[in-house]
Amino acid sequence: MSIPSSMQAIVAHQAGGPDVLRFAQRPVPAPGPGQVLLRVLAAGVNRPDIMQREGLAKPAAGVTDVLGLEACGEVAACGPSVARLVPGARVMALLPGGGYAPWCVATADHCLPVPTGLGDEEAGALPEGLFTVWHNLFELASLKLGETVLVHGAAGGIGTLAIRMAHAAGATVIATAGRADRLDALREMGAAAAVCYRDTDFVAACREASAGRGVDVVIDMVGGDYVRRNLDALAFGGRHVSLSFLHGSRIDIELLTLMQKQLSLHSSTLRPQSDDEKARMARLLERRVLPLIADGRIRPRVQQSLPLAKAADAHRLLESGAVFGKLVLVP
């Protein structure tokens, strides 16, 4: 495979709106120890990319300014100390940055083999969500067979994947979305109940769906005033996990409620996790989740793929709230 010395990649030329995303000339990165160079086949678009573009989140020291936290790619070259991957392997990789480009480097231990039958665009839409849902839903919240989980923001990339992963694990899923015309599709993905939060009280819906008991786990993307209502929806011993806070990060809760119902609050962000921690998750995903992707029980919902040159349009779409599932960029 011929590897060029330079490439056109998408960066934010300054903090701001989607229009600040433009092509910039960058050297094709060389893989260091434990890294592989990928020829990018597809890259997922995520809300942390928007936060980076706005200047609200910055890459770690030494990480490229090229956006993109996940990609499907073909291994073009291996750096020193890489034993488990070889040139030509097709992988989906969790990245610290660099996916919005024709070439990127990835830590070999953060790469997952692409299951047979999974297309490039589907594979490019998966890594960020797989790591996020696995860690938050099954590690922090300890979701178990037979339990019930409430998934907010269920029409988003994380939400749609959380439904499928929870359903495949034998949990009952209650999903909320802002548009009634998406509810049937959410049920088809595995939600036992789907409600439009604009016209339905989701706390009452949770109680009805659980015969008055409440839910065991809440996956929340909203924060703010939702948290108090989420606690009302939780059953005794329930676990609340915050992934984002569209309504604000400051909350007002009653500690007595936590004590009386023995509730627990959890939260995490993926990007600052250590390389070793991400490698640990990758190996668990490979053993526990990739077989479910291979047999079709778990699939990402890709609404649209756009050429890399249309990265600004992808960000506008994601910010509009009109995306059902994931957007993917193709070099």
Side-chain angles (χ1 to χ4, degrees):
M1 181 185 301
S2 176
I3 301 173
S5 60
S6 64
M7 63 182 180
Q8 290 285 307
I10 296 291
V11 303
H13 285 259
Q14 63 187 53
D19 289 341
V20 306
L21 296 181
R22 300 173 201 160
F23 275 123
Q25 191 83 1
R26 291 290 183 271
V28 171
Q35 294 181 328
V36 292
L37 174 67
L38 301 181
R39 180 175 69 86
V40 176
L41 303 172
V45 180
N46 294 284
R47 289 203 173 271
D49 301 338
I50 291 175
M51 295 177 67
Q52 179 174 335
R53 187 203 75 214
E54 293 174 333
L56 301 176
K58 297 185 182 299
V63 173
T64 177
D65 63 343
V66 177
L67 278 75
L69 300 176
E70 62 183 349
C72 168
E74 179 185 358
V75 175
C78 297
S81 305
V82 173
R84 57 184 304 272
L85 294 174
V86 296
R90 187 164 156 261
V91 300
M92 44 191 184
L94 183 71
L95 306 170
Y100 288 20
W103 304 86
C104 72
V105 290
T107 299
D109 286 342
H110 302 169
C111 294
L112 299 167
V114 178
T116 302
L118 195 68
D120 294 339
E121 294 172 13
E122 289 181 303
L126 269 176
E128 178 81 7
L130 284 179
F131 281 77
T132 298
V133 175
W134 173 263
H135 181 56
N136 287 280
L137 191 56
F138 296 102
E139 295 187 337
L140 295 183
S142 301
L143 183 69
K144 300 175 182 66
L145 175 72
E147 290 191 324
T148 301
V149 56
L150 169 64
V151 178
H152 286 305
I158 295 293
T160 50
L161 191 57
I163 291 171
R164 285 176 160 151
M165 290 176 70
H167 177 69
T172 298
V173 181
I174 302 169
T176 71
R179 288 174 48 173
D181 60 356
R182 293 175 172 175
L183 301 184
D184 286 344
L186 294 175
R187 294 186 190 100
E188 290 173 5
M189 291 178 198
V195 299
C196 176
Y197 60 77
R198 299 185 190 280
D199 55 31
T200 302
D201 179 359
F202 70 79
V203 177
C206 287
R207 289 175 180 156
E208 180 180 353
S210 62
R213 177 177 172 274
V215 300
D216 300 287
V217 175
V218 174
I219 295 292
D220 182 50
M221 323 281 185
V222 185
D225 56 332
Y226 259 50
V227 176
R228 183 185 289 270
R229 297 170 67 197
N230 291 339
L231 299 183
D232 289 341
L234 281 168
F236 185 86
R239 291 88 71 195
H240 184 286
V241 183
S242 297
L243 299 186
S244 188
F245 37 84
L246 296 177
H247 284 192
S249 60
R250 300 183 70 87
I251 61 173
D252 178 17
I253 61 174
E254 175 56 64
L255 288 176
L256 186 61
T257 301
L258 300 183
M259 295 174 180
Q260 289 176 332
K261 295 174 69 175
Q262 293 190 22
L263 306 180
S264 57
L265 303 180
H266 303 271
S267 63
S268 75
T269 55
L270 183 59
R271 201 169 188 177
Q273 300 272 358
S274 71
D275 283 349
D276 287 346
E277 183 66 3
K278 292 173 184 175
R280 180 193 65 79
M281 292 183 215
R283 301 292 72 79
L284 286 170
L285 286 167
E286 190 166 350
R287 293 199 305 268
R288 302 281 294 277
V289 180
L290 291 197
L292 303 178
I293 296 174
D295 69 14
R297 278 182 281 177
I298 295 174
R299 276 289 196 275
R301 189 184 199 279
V302 178
Q303 173 173 307
Q304 186 178 353
S305 63
L306 299 92
L308 189 59
K310 299 289 187 181
D313 289 340
H315 277 221
R316 290 188 193 96
L317 274 172
L318 191 57
E319 290 180 303
S320 74
V323 177
F324 188 2
K326 288 292 292 279
L327 297 174
V328 173
L329 298 173
V330 179

mmCIF file of all heavy atoms in Angstrom, residues 258-289:
data_model
loop_
_atom_site.group_PDB
_atom_site.id
_atom_site.type_symbol
_atom_site.label_atom_id
_atom_site.label_comp_id
_atom_site.label_asym_id
_atom_site.label_seq_id
_atom_site.Cartn_x
_atom_site.Cartn_y
_atom_site.Cartn_z
ATOM 1 N N LEU A 258 -32.052 9.650 48.151
ATOM 2 C CA LEU A 258 -30.998 8.674 47.865
ATOM 3 C C LEU A 258 -30.887 7.661 49.000
ATOM 4 O O LEU A 258 -30.751 6.452 48.766
ATOM 5 C CB LEU A 258 -29.654 9.378 47.673
ATOM 6 C CG LEU A 258 -29.522 10.397 46.550
ATOM 7 C CD1 LEU A 258 -28.086 10.911 46.493
ATOM 8 C CD2 LEU A 258 -29.920 9.813 45.215
ATOM 9 N N MET A 259 -30.935 8.156 50.219
ATOM 10 C CA MET A 259 -30.774 7.273 51.374
ATOM 11 C C MET A 259 -31.944 6.304 51.520
ATOM 12 O O MET A 259 -31.757 5.099 51.725
ATOM 13 C CB MET A 259 -30.639 8.113 52.649
ATOM 14 C CG MET A 259 -29.380 8.958 52.690
ATOM 15 S SD MET A 259 -29.398 10.035 54.152
ATOM 16 C CE MET A 259 -27.848 10.885 53.943
ATOM 17 N N GLN A 260 -33.151 6.830 51.437
ATOM 18 C CA GLN A 260 -34.323 5.992 51.662
ATOM 19 C C GLN A 260 -34.478 4.907 50.601
ATOM 20 O O GLN A 260 -34.913 3.795 50.901
ATOM 21 C CB GLN A 260 -35.576 6.863 51.724
ATOM 22 C CG GLN A 260 -35.667 7.722 52.979
ATOM 23 C CD GLN A 260 -36.868 8.634 52.967
ATOM 24 O OE1 GLN A 260 -37.359 9.041 51.909
ATOM 25 N NE2 GLN A 260 -37.360 8.976 54.156
ATOM 26 N N LYS A 261 -34.129 5.255 49.352
ATOM 27 C CA LYS A 261 -34.264 4.280 48.263
ATOM 28 C C LYS A 261 -32.939 3.574 47.951
ATOM 29 O O LYS A 261 -32.881 2.736 47.061
ATOM 30 C CB LYS A 261 -34.801 4.978 46.999
ATOM 31 C CG LYS A 261 -36.214 5.523 47.155
ATOM 32 C CD LYS A 261 -36.665 6.323 45.941
ATOM 33 C CE LYS A 261 -36.882 5.462 44.713
ATOM 34 N NZ LYS A 261 -37.437 6.237 43.583
ATOM 35 N N GLN A 262 -31.892 3.932 48.678
ATOM 36 C CA GLN A 262 -30.562 3.364 48.464
ATOM 37 C C GLN A 262 -30.144 3.464 46.991
ATOM 38 O O GLN A 262 -29.740 2.491 46.359
ATOM 39 C CB GLN A 262 -30.495 1.917 48.958
ATOM 40 C CG GLN A 262 -30.624 1.805 50.475
ATOM 41 C CD GLN A 262 -30.336 0.420 51.022
ATOM 42 O OE1 GLN A 262 -29.652 -0.376 50.369
ATOM 43 N NE2 GLN A 262 -30.852 0.137 52.197
ATOM 44 N N LEU A 263 -30.232 4.701 46.482
ATOM 45 C CA LEU A 263 -29.879 4.973 45.093
ATOM 46 C C LEU A 263 -28.404 5.365 45.004
ATOM 47 O O LEU A 263 -27.805 5.820 45.971
ATOM 48 C CB LEU A 263 -30.738 6.115 44.538
ATOM 49 C CG LEU A 263 -32.254 5.949 44.664
ATOM 50 C CD1 LEU A 263 -32.960 7.169 44.078
ATOM 51 C CD2 LEU A 263 -32.727 4.671 43.984
ATOM 52 N N SER A 264 -27.833 5.189 43.832
ATOM 53 C CA SER A 264 -26.448 5.598 43.610
ATOM 54 C C SER A 264 -26.349 6.397 42.317
ATOM 55 O O SER A 264 -27.073 6.131 41.352
ATOM 56 C CB SER A 264 -25.511 4.389 43.562
ATOM 57 O OG SER A 264 -25.906 3.477 42.562
ATOM 58 N N LEU A 265 -25.466 7.387 42.333
ATOM 59 C CA LEU A 265 -25.230 8.240 41.170
ATOM 60 C C LEU A 265 -23.858 7.940 40.593
ATOM 61 O O LEU A 265 -22.874 7.854 41.328
ATOM 62 C CB LEU A 265 -25.294 9.719 41.566
ATOM 63 C CG LEU A 265 -26.573 10.218 42.239
ATOM 64 C CD1 LEU A 265 -26.438 11.705 42.548
ATOM 65 C CD2 LEU A 265 -27.784 9.962 41.358
ATOM 66 N N HIS A 266 -23.801 7.800 39.273
ATOM 67 C CA HIS A 266 -22.539 7.522 38.584
ATOM 68 C C HIS A 266 -22.408 8.461 37.391
ATOM 69 O O HIS A 266 -23.400 8.959 36.854
ATOM 70 C CB HIS A 266 -22.501 6.076 38.074
ATOM 71 C CG HIS A 266 -22.704 5.041 39.126
ATOM 72 N ND1 HIS A 266 -21.676 4.507 39.852
ATOM 73 C CD2 HIS A 266 -23.844 4.449 39.573
ATOM 74 C CE1 HIS A 266 -22.152 3.621 40.705
ATOM 75 N NE2 HIS A 266 -23.458 3.573 40.556
ATOM 76 N N SER A 267 -21.186 8.679 36.955
ATOM 77 C CA SER A 267 -20.938 9.438 35.728
ATOM 78 C C SER A 267 -19.531 9.130 35.250
ATOM 79 O O SER A 267 -18.684 8.669 36.025
ATOM 80 C CB SER A 267 -21.098 10.945 35.972
ATOM 81 O OG SER A 267 -20.131 11.402 36.897
ATOM 82 N N SER A 268 -19.293 9.373 33.985
ATOM 83 C CA SER A 268 -17.950 9.179 33.447
ATOM 84 C C SER A 268 -17.831 9.884 32.112
ATOM 85 O O SER A 268 -18.841 10.210 31.473
ATOM 86 C CB SER A 268 -17.627 7.688 33.275
ATOM 87 O OG SER A 268 -18.298 7.162 32.148
ATOM 88 N N THR A 269 -16.597 10.144 31.699
ATOM 89 C CA THR A 269 -16.307 10.561 30.332
ATOM 90 C C THR A 269 -15.230 9.623 29.799
ATOM 91 O O THR A 269 -14.362 9.164 30.549
ATOM 92 C CB THR A 269 -15.820 12.020 30.260
ATOM 93 O OG1 THR A 269 -14.693 12.174 31.131
ATOM 94 C CG2 THR A 269 -16.909 12.980 30.688
ATOM 95 N N LEU A 270 -15.304 9.331 28.528
ATOM 96 C CA LEU A 270 -14.427 8.316 27.949
ATOM 97 C C LEU A 270 -13.047 8.861 27.594
ATOM 98 O O LEU A 270 -12.029 8.201 27.832
ATOM 99 C CB LEU A 270 -15.098 7.726 26.709
ATOM 100 C CG LEU A 270 -14.370 6.582 26.000
ATOM 101 C CD1 LEU A 270 -14.148 5.405 26.941
ATOM 102 C CD2 LEU A 270 -15.175 6.140 24.777
ATOM 103 N N ARG A 271 -12.994 10.056 27.045
ATOM 104 C CA ARG A 271 -11.745 10.558 26.466
ATOM 105 C C ARG A 271 -10.591 10.614 27.470
ATOM 106 O O ARG A 271 -9.462 10.256 27.134
ATOM 107 C CB ARG A 271 -11.993 11.935 25.849
ATOM 108 C CG ARG A 271 -10.959 12.342 24.808
ATOM 109 C CD ARG A 271 -11.418 13.574 24.062
ATOM 110 N NE ARG A 271 -10.563 13.883 22.939
ATOM 111 C CZ ARG A 271 -10.784 14.882 22.088
ATOM 112 N NH1 ARG A 271 -11.833 15.666 22.238
ATOM 113 N NH2 ARG A 271 -9.967 15.107 21.072
ATOM 114 N N PRO A 272 -10.817 11.032 28.735
ATOM 115 C CA PRO A 272 -9.678 11.112 29.675
ATOM 116 C C PRO A 272 -9.252 9.774 30.282
ATOM 117 O O PRO A 272 -8.273 9.728 31.019
ATOM 118 C CB PRO A 272 -10.203 12.048 30.789
ATOM 119 C CG PRO A 272 -11.462 12.644 30.268
ATOM 120 C CD PRO A 272 -12.010 11.666 29.309
ATOM 121 N N GLN A 273 -9.980 8.682 29.994
ATOM 122 C CA GLN A 273 -9.601 7.389 30.568
ATOM 123 C C GLN A 273 -8.198 7.021 30.100
ATOM 124 O O GLN A 273 -7.768 7.358 29.001
ATOM 125 C CB GLN A 273 -10.586 6.300 30.111
ATOM 126 C CG GLN A 273 -12.029 6.551 30.507
ATOM 127 C CD GLN A 273 -12.376 6.015 31.881
ATOM 128 O OE1 GLN A 273 -11.549 5.402 32.548
ATOM 129 N NE2 GLN A 273 -13.606 6.242 32.306
ATOM 130 N N SER A 274 -7.476 6.291 30.922
ATOM 131 C CA SER A 274 -6.103 5.908 30.581
ATOM 132 C C SER A 274 -6.083 4.916 29.420
ATOM 133 O O SER A 274 -7.074 4.228 29.141
ATOM 134 C CB SER A 274 -5.421 5.278 31.795
ATOM 135 O OG SER A 274 -5.966 3.998 32.063
ATOM 136 N N ASP A 275 -4.935 4.835 28.756
ATOM 137 C CA ASP A 275 -4.784 3.874 27.666
ATOM 138 C C ASP A 275 -5.006 2.446 28.159
ATOM 139 O O ASP A 275 -5.612 1.622 27.467
ATOM 140 C CB ASP A 275 -3.393 3.994 27.043
ATOM 141 C CG ASP A 275 -3.266 5.209 26.132
ATOM 142 O OD1 ASP A 275 -4.304 5.834 25.818
ATOM 143 O OD2 ASP A 275 -2.140 5.529 25.730
ATOM 144 N N ASP A 276 -4.503 2.135 29.347
ATOM 145 C CA ASP A 276 -4.675 0.789 29.894
ATOM 146 C C ASP A 276 -6.148 0.483 30.148
ATOM 147 O O ASP A 276 -6.607 -0.643 29.913
ATOM 148 C CB ASP A 276 -3.890 0.635 31.191
ATOM 149 C CG ASP A 276 -2.387 0.533 30.971
ATOM 150 O OD1 ASP A 276 -1.970 0.311 29.815
ATOM 151 O OD2 ASP A 276 -1.635 0.684 31.949
ATOM 152 N N GLU A 277 -6.886 1.479 30.628
ATOM 153 C CA GLU A 277 -8.312 1.260 30.899
ATOM 154 C C GLU A 277 -9.083 1.046 29.606
ATOM 155 O O GLU A 277 -9.948 0.167 29.511
ATOM 156 C CB GLU A 277 -8.872 2.459 31.675
ATOM 157 C CG GLU A 277 -10.321 2.346 32.083
ATOM 158 C CD GLU A 277 -10.607 1.266 33.091
ATOM 159 O OE1 GLU A 277 -9.675 0.581 33.561
ATOM 160 O OE2 GLU A 277 -11.797 1.073 33.427
ATOM 161 N N LYS A 278 -8.766 1.815 28.578
ATOM 162 C CA LYS A 278 -9.428 1.619 27.286
ATOM 163 C C LYS A 278 -9.072 0.260 26.697
ATOM 164 O O LYS A 278 -9.929 -0.406 26.094
ATOM 165 C CB LYS A 278 -9.042 2.745 26.328
ATOM 166 C CG LYS A 278 -9.591 4.105 26.736
ATOM 167 C CD LYS A 278 -9.036 5.220 25.853
ATOM 168 C CE LYS A 278 -9.499 6.576 26.316
ATOM 169 N NZ LYS A 278 -8.885 7.689 25.564
ATOM 170 N N ALA A 279 -7.823 -0.178 26.862
ATOM 171 C CA ALA A 279 -7.414 -1.498 26.366
ATOM 172 C C ALA A 279 -8.170 -2.600 27.102
ATOM 173 O O ALA A 279 -8.580 -3.598 26.487
ATOM 174 C CB ALA A 279 -5.913 -1.675 26.528
ATOM 175 N N ARG A 280 -8.368 -2.427 28.399
ATOM 176 C CA ARG A 280 -9.130 -3.413 29.174
ATOM 177 C C ARG A 280 -10.558 -3.529 28.652
ATOM 178 O O ARG A 280 -11.082 -4.626 28.439
ATOM 179 C CB ARG A 280 -9.154 -3.000 30.649
ATOM 180 C CG ARG A 280 -9.925 -3.948 31.560
ATOM 181 C CD ARG A 280 -10.180 -3.346 32.928
ATOM 182 N NE ARG A 280 -11.059 -2.187 32.882
ATOM 183 C CZ ARG A 280 -12.384 -2.271 32.776
ATOM 184 N NH1 ARG A 280 -12.981 -3.460 32.699
ATOM 185 N NH2 ARG A 280 -13.116 -1.174 32.727
ATOM 186 N N MET A 281 -11.197 -2.379 28.402
ATOM 187 C CA MET A 281 -12.555 -2.389 27.866
ATOM 188 C C MET A 281 -12.594 -3.037 26.487
ATOM 189 O O MET A 281 -13.527 -3.785 26.160
ATOM 190 C CB MET A 281 -13.094 -0.960 27.770
ATOM 191 C CG MET A 281 -13.342 -0.267 29.086
ATOM 192 S SD MET A 281 -14.050 1.381 28.764
ATOM 193 C CE MET A 281 -13.306 2.324 30.079
ATOM 194 N N ALA A 282 -11.588 -2.742 25.656
ATOM 195 C CA ALA A 282 -11.562 -3.291 24.302
ATOM 196 C C ALA A 282 -11.556 -4.812 24.314
ATOM 197 O O ALA A 282 -12.246 -5.466 23.528
ATOM 198 C CB ALA A 282 -10.351 -2.761 23.540
ATOM 199 N N ARG A 283 -10.775 -5.411 25.207
ATOM 200 C CA ARG A 283 -10.707 -6.866 25.260
ATOM 201 C C ARG A 283 -12.037 -7.464 25.730
ATOM 202 O O ARG A 283 -12.458 -8.527 25.256
ATOM 203 C CB ARG A 283 -9.566 -7.310 26.179
ATOM 204 C CG ARG A 283 -8.182 -6.810 25.777
ATOM 205 C CD ARG A 283 -7.662 -7.437 24.474
ATOM 206 N NE ARG A 283 -8.326 -6.985 23.263
ATOM 207 C CZ ARG A 283 -8.077 -5.826 22.662
ATOM 208 N NH1 ARG A 283 -7.211 -4.977 23.165
ATOM 209 N NH2 ARG A 283 -8.708 -5.525 21.545
ATOM 210 N N LEU A 284 -12.708 -6.781 26.676
ATOM 211 C CA LEU A 284 -14.020 -7.256 27.117
ATOM 212 C C LEU A 284 -15.048 -7.123 26.001
ATOM 213 O O LEU A 284 -15.875 -8.013 25.788
ATOM 214 C CB LEU A 284 -14.470 -6.484 28.358
ATOM 215 C CG LEU A 284 -13.757 -6.850 29.662
ATOM 216 C CD1 LEU A 284 -14.107 -5.860 30.756
ATOM 217 C CD2 LEU A 284 -14.133 -8.269 30.088
ATOM 218 N N LEU A 285 -15.013 -6.012 25.290
ATOM 219 C CA LEU A 285 -15.931 -5.836 24.162
ATOM 220 C C LEU A 285 -15.714 -6.912 23.103
ATOM 221 O O LEU A 285 -16.676 -7.448 22.525
ATOM 222 C CB LEU A 285 -15.738 -4.453 23.543
ATOM 223 C CG LEU A 285 -16.302 -3.269 24.333
ATOM 224 C CD1 LEU A 285 -15.761 -1.957 23.787
ATOM 225 C CD2 LEU A 285 -17.824 -3.272 24.287
ATOM 226 N N GLU A 286 -14.449 -7.229 22.855
ATOM 227 C CA GLU A 286 -14.149 -8.238 21.843
ATOM 228 C C GLU A 286 -14.735 -9.598 22.230
ATOM 229 O O GLU A 286 -15.270 -10.318 21.385
ATOM 230 C CB GLU A 286 -12.637 -8.337 21.646
ATOM 231 C CG GLU A 286 -12.224 -9.185 20.457
ATOM 232 C CD GLU A 286 -10.772 -9.011 20.085
ATOM 233 O OE1 GLU A 286 -10.102 -8.094 20.627
ATOM 234 O OE2 GLU A 286 -10.284 -9.787 19.242
ATOM 235 N N ARG A 287 -14.673 -9.923 23.500
ATOM 236 C CA ARG A 287 -15.184 -11.221 23.957
ATOM 237 C C ARG A 287 -16.700 -11.242 24.133
ATOM 238 O O ARG A 287 -17.346 -12.227 23.801
ATOM 239 C CB ARG A 287 -14.523 -11.611 25.284
ATOM 240 C CG ARG A 287 -13.050 -11.906 25.198
ATOM 241 C CD ARG A 287 -12.559 -12.713 26.386
ATOM 242 N NE ARG A 287 -12.857 -12.086 27.657
ATOM 243 C CZ ARG A 287 -12.029 -11.247 28.293
ATOM 244 N NH1 ARG A 287 -10.868 -10.929 27.738
ATOM 245 N NH2 ARG A 287 -12.350 -10.726 29.454
ATOM 246 N N ARG A 288 -17.230 -10.143 24.668
ATOM 247 C CA ARG A 288 -18.615 -10.167 25.112
ATOM 248 C C ARG A 288 -19.608 -9.567 24.116
ATOM 249 O O ARG A 288 -20.775 -9.969 24.096
ATOM 250 C CB ARG A 288 -18.725 -9.408 26.441
ATOM 251 C CG ARG A 288 -17.835 -9.947 27.560
ATOM 252 C CD ARG A 288 -18.421 -11.177 28.212
ATOM 253 N NE ARG A 288 -19.645 -10.858 28.924
ATOM 254 C CZ ARG A 288 -19.706 -10.370 30.152
ATOM 255 N NH1 ARG A 288 -18.584 -10.123 30.823
ATOM 256 N NH2 ARG A 288 -20.860 -10.114 30.726
ATOM 257 N N VAL A 289 -19.175 -8.585 23.323
ATOM 258 C CA VAL A 289 -20.116 -7.846 22.488
ATOM 259 C C VAL A 289 -19.946 -8.127 20.994
ATOM 260 O O VAL A 289 -20.940 -8.226 20.268
ATOM 261 C CB VAL A 289 -20.005 -6.328 22.760
ATOM 262 C CG1 VAL A 289 -20.981 -5.548 21.887
ATOM 263 C CG2 VAL A 289 -20.281 -6.033 24.234
#
